[in-house]
Amino acid sequence: MQTWSLISICVLLGVVVRWGVSLNSYSGAGKPPMFGDYEAQRHWQEVTYNLPIREWYFNSTNNDLAYWGLDYPPLTAYHSWLCAYIANIINPEWVKLHKSRGYESPEHKLFMRTTVLVADLLLFIPAVVLYCLYLTDGSSKKKVSVLLCILLYPGIILIDYGHFQYNGVSLGLALWGILGLGLGWDALGSIAFSLALNYKQMELYHALPFFCYLLGKCFKAGLMGHGFFLFVRIAAAVVVTFALCWLPFLSDPVQALQVVRRIFPVARGLFEVQISCSKNVSVLLGV
């Protein structure tokens, strides 16, 4: 009982710190013409809500890719649409096509900040709690200490609540994947990590450890016996997950290829991505 009380305190403290950071401004606030990543996320809601799926990743008069064009995998786009659907119910001006560009108001800021916190409460924070309880060695105090350190890690809090992103979604899904593998639910863990990959392509950083662990487990179990069936089960889970995430784009190869081009901007030059990341770091450091 004492352990759960400490866990509850840690979670509450994590939520309070997150919300405290979110009360401040965000990078790009009141700075046209781009207004920072806050506007990027809002603009994706505008695009996904007002345009058909086939136009989400293509340049057009209604979707200027030079102005925060969607460049994350489909699951991010679906998340943007869901947020936009709720935003339109509260205030249609927040996602009105063209006219909502650069929209900034205290009410909309509250809505956007809440969407980040809700995502953390649903995905990231529960995964961290379960990870610390079941996959962290040591005493209860050590587990609670690890939990507190993860929940108060300043990097993700500053990026998601100060700068403005939804990294908690992809990291939460990846952590659910680790939980699945750690508890022996390899297929479920593979599904969770596949969802993380389909939310943010940066999860490719974690793909190699997942792949090597699962392949090694299949070899250890014997590819001529149980290991073969494990391999088939994992492969099927990954393929079905990717197929469902990409289903609206698979009917037309041109659509799917355009999504890939937007996700991996090699043609636009990797230097562009490096500059963008450098600017984000500079904003957080105040330089």
Side-chain angles (χ1 to χ4, degrees), residues 18 75 119-131 150 156 160 166-180 188-189 191-197 199-200 203 206 210:
R18 281 165 167 76
L75 206 58
D120 270 5
L121 289 172
L122 291 177
L123 289 172
F124 182 72
I125 293 178
V128 173
V129 171
L130 293 177
Y131 172 82
I150 296 176
I156 187 172
D160 281 14
Y166 292 96
N167 290 294
V169 176
S170 58
L171 290 174
L173 289 169
L175 194 50
W176 279 109
I178 294 173
L179 276 166
L188 290 176
I191 290 173
F193 185 69
S194 296
L195 291 174
L197 276 172
Y199 190 87
K200 272 198 172 184
E203 283 302 320
H206 303 136
F210 270 85

Side-chain angles (χ1 to χ4, degrees), residues 180-181 184-193 214 230 233-234 237-238 241:
L181 269 56
W185 302 333
D186 298 316
L188 290 176
S190 300
I191 290 173
F193 185 69
L214 290 170
L230 177 61
R233 187 163 66 249
I234 293 171
V238 172
T241 303

Side-chain angles (χ1 to χ4, degrees):
M1 185 64 183
Q2 183 181 5
T3 300
W4 280 106
S5 298
L6 292 173
I7 289 174
S8 300
I9 294 173
C10 290
V11 171
L12 181 59
L13 183 59
V15 171
V16 169
V17 171
R18 281 165 167 76
W19 195 250
V21 172
S22 72
L23 294 176
N24 293 282
S25 186
Y26 47 86
S27 64
K31 297 179 181 178
M34 301 303 284
F35 299 98
D37 266 7
Y38 175 96
E39 168 62 10
Q41 301 291 341
R42 188 216 59 79
H43 180 64
W44 292 351
Q45 294 176 22
E46 171 195 345
V47 168
T48 55
Y49 184 79
N50 290 286
L51 301 181
I53 291 181
R54 64 178 180 275
E55 296 183 24
W56 285 0
Y57 290 89
F58 281 90
N59 192 63
S60 67
T61 54
N62 289 325
N63 186 21
D64 181 9
L65 294 182
Y67 183 80
W68 296 123
L70 189 58
D71 55 5
Y72 279 177
L75 206 58
T76 287
Y78 305 148
H79 180 212
S80 295
W81 179 88
L82 177 61
C83 291
Y85 181 84
I86 299 172
N88 186 69
I89 295 175
I90 300 173
N91 187 347
E93 296 295 323
W94 294 350
V95 290
K96 185 169 289 187
L97 190 62
H98 300 309
K99 296 183 179 179
S100 61
R101 181 174 293 193
Y103 191 100
E104 294 178 319
S105 73
E107 294 78 15
H108 185 256
K109 176 187 172 184
L110 176 63
F111 168 76
M112 294 290 282
R113 296 298 203 188
T114 302
T115 61
V116 180
L117 184 61
V118 169
D120 270 5
L121 289 172
L122 291 177
L123 289 172
F124 182 72
I125 293 178
V128 173
V129 171
L130 293 177
Y131 172 82
C132 293
L133 282 177
Y134 295 106
L135 297 185
T136 301
D137 296 327
S139 63
S140 297
K141 289 184 177 180
K142 181 180 179 181
K143 292 181 179 182
V144 171
S145 299
V146 173
L147 172 65
L148 186 62
C149 289
I150 296 176
L151 290 181
L152 295 182
Y153 173 62
I156 187 172
I157 295 176
L158 289 173
I159 291 291
D160 281 14
Y161 293 86
H163 176 63
F164 199 91
Q165 294 253 344
Y166 292 96
N167 290 294
V169 176
S170 58
L171 290 174
L173 289 169
L175 194 50
W176 279 109
I178 294 173
L179 276 166
L181 269 56
L183 297 175
W185 302 333
D186 298 316
L188 290 176
S190 300
I191 290 173
F193 185 69
S194 296
L195 291 174
L197 276 172
N198 279 283
Y199 190 87
K200 272 198 172 184
Q201 61 269 44
M202 278 73 80
E203 283 302 320
L204 282 169
Y205 295 141
H206 303 136
L208 188 59
F210 270 85
F211 176 79
C212 292
Y213 173 83
L214 290 170
L215 186 62
K217 190 170 185 178
C218 292
F219 273 109
K220 188 175 181 180
L223 282 179
M224 299 303 293
H226 176 70
F228 174 76
F229 294 103
L230 177 61
F231 178 82
V232 171
R233 187 163 66 249
I234 293 171
V238 172
V239 170
V240 170
T241 303
F242 269 80
L244 290 175
C245 290
W246 286 71
L247 190 60
F249 307 97
L250 294 179
S251 59
D252 184 358
V254 176
Q255 287 274 339
L257 188 58
Q258 176 64 8
V259 178
V260 173
R261 288 197 190 102
R262 292 297 302 168
I263 294 174
F264 301 105
V266 178
R268 288 182 279 155
L270 296 179
F271 181 72
E272 176 190 60
V273 179
Q274 181 183 359
I275 289 297
S276 177
C277 293
S278 299
K279 288 175 64 179
N280 291 347
V281 172
S282 297
V283 168
L284 291 175
L285 295 177
V287 298

